Amino acid sequence: MEIKKLLTAQIGPKPKETKDQARLLRSFKSGALWFFWIGGLSVVNTIVLYMGSEWRMVIGLGITTILDVIGYDHPEYFILASIFSIAISGCFVFFGWRAIKGKRWPFVVGSVLYLLDIFILVALEDYIGVAFHAWGVFGISTGYMSFLQLRKIK
């Protein structure tokens, strides 16, 4: 009889607080992972442009797109533009790494920078990119709010 109690205790429903914590943890991680996507897809955009293609990922950064075009159109600036473009993309990957480690500042700094990047996309008349940036800022903000709630629980 005791074995049956142990089995039902292990596979039975979890307490509500644990389910809430699991939901918040998923949301927090999802928000932090946006930074990896932004940085990674910005690098993909850089590589794709330098290979001569005109398509790009809409989640990537507008500032890196401008740097990539400068490097592509002006070969004398190619190396410098590439270094800055990859460094900026790397910053977003770094934000993701620090956010996953439970730091608050990457959420704030990264979402503000990504939000400011929207103005570049508006100037480039890339309204689909603007919409995806807004979605990204929402995802990052949702992750940040979940992060704050998790800190209150623990």
Side-chain angles (χ1 to χ4, degrees), residues 87-139:
I88 292 168
S89 299
C91 285
F92 275 83
V93 172
F94 179 73
F95 293 158
W97 175 61
R98 297 310 297 159
I100 286 286
K101 295 290 184 182
K103 302 297 180 190
R104 175 187 292 189
W105 67 266
F107 283 104
V108 176
V109 173
S111 61
V112 167
L113 291 175
Y114 200 50
L115 187 62
L116 290 174
D117 197 63
I118 288 176
F119 293 110
I120 294 171
L121 297 177
V122 169
L124 296 173
E125 297 180 358
D126 180 6
Y127 301 114
I128 294 174
V130 169
F132 272 90
H133 270 52
W135 180 39
V137 169
F138 176 77

Side-chain angles (χ1 to χ4, degrees), residues 16-134:
K16 183 167 177 40
E17 184 175 303
T18 304
K19 286 182 181 180
D20 287 344
Q21 285 176 340
R23 180 188 53 79
L24 289 171
L25 187 61
R26 278 192 311 273
S27 176
F28 153 68
K29 286 182 179 179
S30 176
L33 289 175
W34 268 98
F35 294 116
F36 291 106
W37 282 106
I38 294 164
L41 292 177
S42 294
V43 171
V44 168
N45 287 342
T46 299
I47 293 167
V48 166
L49 179 72
Y50 289 153
M51 292 175 64
S53 181
E54 292 187 14
W55 67 268
R56 67 179 197 82
M57 303 288 184
V58 293
I59 295 176
L61 294 163
I63 187 66
T64 58
T65 300
I66 289 174
L67 290 168
D68 297 339
V69 169
I70 290 170
Y72 187 77
D73 289 345
H74 302 283
E76 65 272 18
Y77 298 120
F78 173 78
I79 292 176
L80 189 60
S82 298
I83 289 170
F84 278 114
S85 180
I86 291 172
I88 292 168
S89 299
C91 285
F92 275 83
V93 172
F94 179 73
F95 293 158
W97 175 61
R98 297 310 297 159
I100 286 286
K101 295 290 184 182
K103 302 297 180 190
R104 175 187 292 189
W105 67 266
F107 283 104
V108 176
V109 173
S111 61
V112 167
L113 291 175
Y114 200 50
L115 187 62
L116 290 174
D117 197 63
I118 288 176
F119 293 110
I120 294 171
L121 297 177
V122 169
L124 296 173
E125 297 180 358
D126 180 6
Y127 301 114
I128 294 174
V130 169
F132 272 90
H133 270 52

